[in-house]
Amino acid sequence: MPIVVDVDVMLARRKMSVGELAERVGISPANLAVLKNGRAKAVRFTTLAALCEVLDCQPGDLLRWEAENLADEVTAAGRHLR
């Protein structure tokens, strides 16, 4: 999918754990992991707003578009790292 989620980047910048973010946003760590790892098919605006509030950022800091071929290459590279 050409939409890339950069929640992990903002977590690192804010020195915050996934568990802490999930608790403060009000979603389960499992659902946050689905979003963070790019497996989510959708995100509610209320969840996106809560993420932005807690992380003190804009939606564009969490979501970005990449051309389909580049997104596939990034996904494939991530699989090789595991």
Side-chain angles (χ1 to χ4, degrees), residues 1 3-9 11 18 29-41 62 71 74-75 78-79 82:
M1 176 180 287
I3 301 297
V4 179
V5 181
D6 287 326
V7 170
D8 52 345
V9 173
L11 281 171
V18 172
N31 284 341
L32 182 55
V34 167
L35 179 62
K36 187 173 93 58
N37 295 323
R39 295 188 315 256
K41 299 294 182 198
L62 300 176
V74 169
T75 300
R79 286 190 201 124
R82 293 179 190 172

Side-chain angles (χ1 to χ4, degrees), residues 35-58:
L35 179 62
K36 187 173 93 58
N37 295 323
R39 295 188 315 256
K41 299 294 182 198
V43 61
R44 292 179 184 202
F45 281 159
T46 53
T47 302
L48 183 59
L51 287 166
C52 289
E53 182 177 353
V54 171
L55 293 170
D56 189 28
C57 67
Q58 294 295 311

Side-chain angles (χ1 to χ4, degrees), residues 52-74:
C52 289
E53 182 177 353
V54 171
L55 293 170
D56 189 28
C57 67
Q58 294 295 311
D61 296 326
L62 300 176
L63 304 173
R64 62 187 160 89
W65 176 84
E66 285 187 356
E68 193 72 40
N69 292 339
L70 183 56
D72 290 341
E73 290 174 19
V74 169

